[in-house]
Amino acid sequence: MPGSRLSHSGVASVSHAEMNDADPLALSSDALVRLLGEALHVGVSAAPPETPEWWQDPAFPYVPVSFVGRGGSGFVWKASRRDGRGYVGLKLVPFRSDPVRLRQRWEDECAALEKIQHRNLVALADHGPSPDGLSGWLAMEWIEGDCLGRKLQKEGRLSFKDVMAIVPQAIAGLSALHKAGLIHRDIKPSNLLLETESGRLVIADLGIAVDLGGDPDQRVTRTSEHALTPGYFPPELLQSASRPTALGDQYSLAFTLWQLLTGTMPLGAFAKLHHLCKCPDTLDAVFRKALANDPSNRFPDLEAFGQALHQAELGLPRPFLYLGIMMPLLVGGIAFLVTRPEPFPKHFQSGRISSPDSQRHFSSIEMTLEKTGQIRARIRTTSLHPLFGFAGKCRIAFRDSKGATIRQITTPSYGVNGRFIFGSPHDRVDKWEKAIPPEDAARVHSVHFSSTTTGWTIEERARDNRRAFENDLKKIRNGASKGM
């Protein structure tokens, strides 16, 4: 098709020499079908490639279990850790077709994942180059679930309730990325993973993310060389002078949510949303604003987009929709400028923090931070496993308003047994106190909680549980003999 070609990764590339300055969405239906045909399947279905021979080396820490699919920048397998501590998503990024550029893109993805941790962004466990230097690999947290692209293929569309349930999580993950100075640039259904057990949404594939703090001339994928998925990327990137911005991610997210709701893409003169799916008619104006061709006509940020979606979800009449968006912002701004209330004490809650060893082992923390830096925490440690317990430690990262880590501390280890093992309870609550410098406490804006790995093998856990069981039997026997 004139104006597009497939890149090495299977994603259609578009050059400015082949696109005119007219509205990029004003294409014929046949042209759009050809342009988007490949995009609908990228990352959802792909023939499994051969695994590299060097992955069979016992020194390599992961063993591939099954092929997952192809993303915009590489191939992904489910892999087990050789030390038996669960699974990872193992991504291979070949460099052969363009060694300098693709290696830099891989390094950029690793740097982006290392720069920020958030429950709605896939976490990086490890990475490294191949022995021959012709590819790179990343080990990321394994999400037991499915991508929304595959779910869309199976079901045709998602329910309004299911889509609106993931909106706050998608906005939270992308907002955290933006606050860290990063732009994702490839939001689409196949890059949104849904964890089956918890319903957690995780944003994946930062292979073409842009660090706004970096040198524009050193970026691997420049504006004139799109390695982007057609349809999902914002129209302004077809202009040679355009630079990626957070407003582009807003467009891509709105495009993706529309597709999840309707099973169609909002291209050209698209119909009203409530004519395509069961939803309040007030949602249509919100989506059209986020999908505006001119970035200046979109919402100022993702938080405003999310607020508008929430108000529209309630089905408020359209005039009250905008009033409902502006009034809280106006009142809140005036109250802050006039009163500037003392921010302390600050209260934080972790929610459920699953152990890297097992989803059945988890902790939760309720924490108060005083102006003096004094920390008071209530830590609950739970094992739902029938036999194996664990020693639960939590890492607490204090972050400033820009998302940068100020200080990290680790809680003591609180051990619990399996549900059917005598000894320490399988569900315990402990109080813990700590302090950080007052100057650090004054800068704290948010707190990130994560569970640290115990490093125990299954054999070590079983041995420890047997010891606890034998000790309990001795106590029972000693008590019985004294009673006689």
Side-chain angles (χ1 to χ4, degrees):
M1 171 192 125
S4 69
R5 61 184 182 277
L6 290 184
S7 67
H8 69 278
S9 62
V11 181
S13 300
V14 180
S15 67
H16 290 292
E18 297 166 322
M19 296 294 294
N20 56 34
D21 291 332
D23 183 351
L25 301 185
L27 302 175
S28 69
S29 298
D30 290 341
L32 287 173
V33 169
R34 289 196 297 272
L35 178 65
L36 300 173
E38 281 293 322
L40 293 174
H41 301 286
V42 170
V44 176
S45 59
E50 293 184 6
T51 56
E53 291 185 6
W54 48 273
W55 279 7
Q56 312 305 320
D57 188 335
F60 187 68
Y62 307 101
V63 179
V65 175
S66 60
F67 180 66
V68 176
R70 181 183 67 192
S73 56
F75 303 93
V76 181
W77 285 260
K78 179 181 181 180
S80 61
R81 299 174 185 262
R82 288 190 188 271
D83 59 11
R85 293 190 294 109
Y87 297 96
V88 297
L90 186 59
K91 181 174 182 177
L92 180 70
V93 182
F95 303 151
R96 289 182 182 274
S97 61
D98 194 347
V100 175
R101 185 169 298 281
L102 294 178
R103 183 184 182 92
Q104 185 61 51
R105 183 174 296 162
W106 165 73
E107 291 176 354
D108 287 349
E109 180 172 11
C110 295
L113 288 168
E114 285 182 321
K115 187 172 182 178
I116 183 171
Q117 289 184 343
H118 191 276
R119 73 182 304 273
N120 299 119
L121 297 172
V122 68
L124 179 68
D126 197 3
H127 64 92
S130 64
D132 58 10
L134 296 179
S135 58
W137 58 271
L138 304 85
M140 298 165 286
E141 68 170 318
W142 175 251
I143 308 300
E144 197 63 58
D146 210 347
C147 74
L148 295 185
R150 192 171 286 114
K151 194 173 177 67
L152 192 62
Q153 274 193 330
K154 294 176 183 175
E155 302 178 17
R157 68 173 71 178
L158 277 62
S159 71
F160 174 71
K161 179 181 177 182
D162 288 346
V163 173
M164 296 309 292
I166 68 171
V167 166
Q169 300 185 70
I171 287 179
L174 280 175
S175 295
L177 205 65
H178 295 166
K179 288 175 183 176
L182 296 167
I183 306 299
H184 190 285
R185 295 205 306 157
D186 200 19
I187 295 298
K188 57 187 177 183
S190 59
N191 283 341
L192 300 179
L193 313 178
L194 196 62
E195 194 170 46
T196 303
E197 183 178 337
S198 67
R200 176 171 66 114
L201 183 82
V202 180
I203 299 171
D205 202 346
L206 272 67
I208 59 171
V210 166
D211 188 340
L212 296 181
D215 183 353
D217 294 330
Q218 298 300 317
R219 290 175 186 159
V220 174
T221 308
R222 293 182 176 86
T223 308
S224 60
E225 299 171 345
H226 295 295
L228 306 169
T229 309
Y232 297 94
F233 69 86
E236 63 266 22
L237 290 188
L238 293 174
Q239 301 172 12
S240 58
S242 178
R243 296 291 185 185
T245 68
L247 295 177
D249 278 352
Q250 180 187 142
Y251 177 95
S252 300
L253 178 61
F255 193 103
T256 297
L257 294 174
W258 181 290
Q259 187 185 11
L260 294 175
L261 283 167
T262 68
T264 66
M265 292 183 167
L267 296 168
F270 48 90
K272 291 186 176 182
L273 183 64
H274 62 279
H275 291 170
L276 301 174
C277 68
K278 292 182 179 179
C279 68
D281 59 4
T282 47
L283 272 176
D284 189 76
V286 176
F287 272 94
R288 288 177 187 273
K289 183 173 177 64
L291 290 167
N293 284 348
D294 186 345
S296 64
N297 291 332
R298 296 173 198 156
F299 291 95
D301 53 39
L302 279 169
E303 284 85 355
F305 178 38
Q307 178 88 8
L309 284 174
H310 177 66
Q311 295 289 341
E313 182 184 3
L314 300 177
L316 296 177
R318 192 165 298 168
F320 292 98
L321 170 63
Y322 297 107
L323 186 63
I325 295 171
M326 297 305 298
M327 284 303 294
L329 295 176
L330 182 61
V331 172
I334 294 173
F336 176 76
L337 292 174
V338 173
T339 62
R340 293 182 182 266
E342 182 66 25
F344 290 98
K346 298 179 180 179
H347 303 282
F348 303 96
Q349 290 186 336
S350 67
R352 179 167 170 167
I353 314 170
S354 297
S355 166
D357 298 335
S358 172
Q359 290 290 323
R360 297 186 180 185
H361 300 151
F362 55 89
S363 304
S364 62
I365 300 177
E366 295 177 4
M367 187 178 73
T368 299
L369 175 63
E370 301 287 351
K371 187 174 183 178
T372 59
Q374 184 69 27
I375 299 168
R376 295 183 179 85
R378 182 176 179 271
I379 304 174
R380 184 169 188 169
T381 311
T382 304
S383 173
L384 298 182
H385 198 286
L387 298 177
F388 300 127
F390 80 116
K393 283 186 178 181
C394 292
R395 182 179 293 112
I396 303 174
F398 297 92
R399 294 176 174 171
D400 62 19
S401 58
K402 296 182 179 180
T405 299
I406 301 169
R407 181 175 293 271
Q408 291 192 95
I409 59 176
T410 303
T411 69
S413 176
Y414 296 110
V416 290
N417 277 336
R419 295 180 69 86
F420 301 151
I421 301 297
F422 297 105
S424 67
H426 64 269
D427 189 1
R428 63 182 285 172
V429 176
D430 296 273
K431 292 183 178 179
W432 174 66
E433 294 191 4
K434 187 77 173 177
I436 62 175
E439 57 271 22
D440 286 350
R443 296 169 55 206
V444 171
H445 181 265
S446 62
V447 176
H448 176 74
F449 300 90
S450 60
S451 180
T452 62
T453 180
T454 60
W456 288 2
T457 64
I458 291 178
E459 292 77 12
E460 288 171 334
R461 288 180 183 166
R463 190 162 53 248
D464 189 75
N465 283 327
R466 280 198 299 272
R467 283 200 208 100
F469 183 69
E470 290 168 358
N471 288 338
D472 287 338
L473 284 178
K474 286 180 182 178
K475 292 177 183 177
I476 293 170
R477 288 169 181 162
N478 290 339
S481 63
K482 288 179 182 179
M484 293 175 64

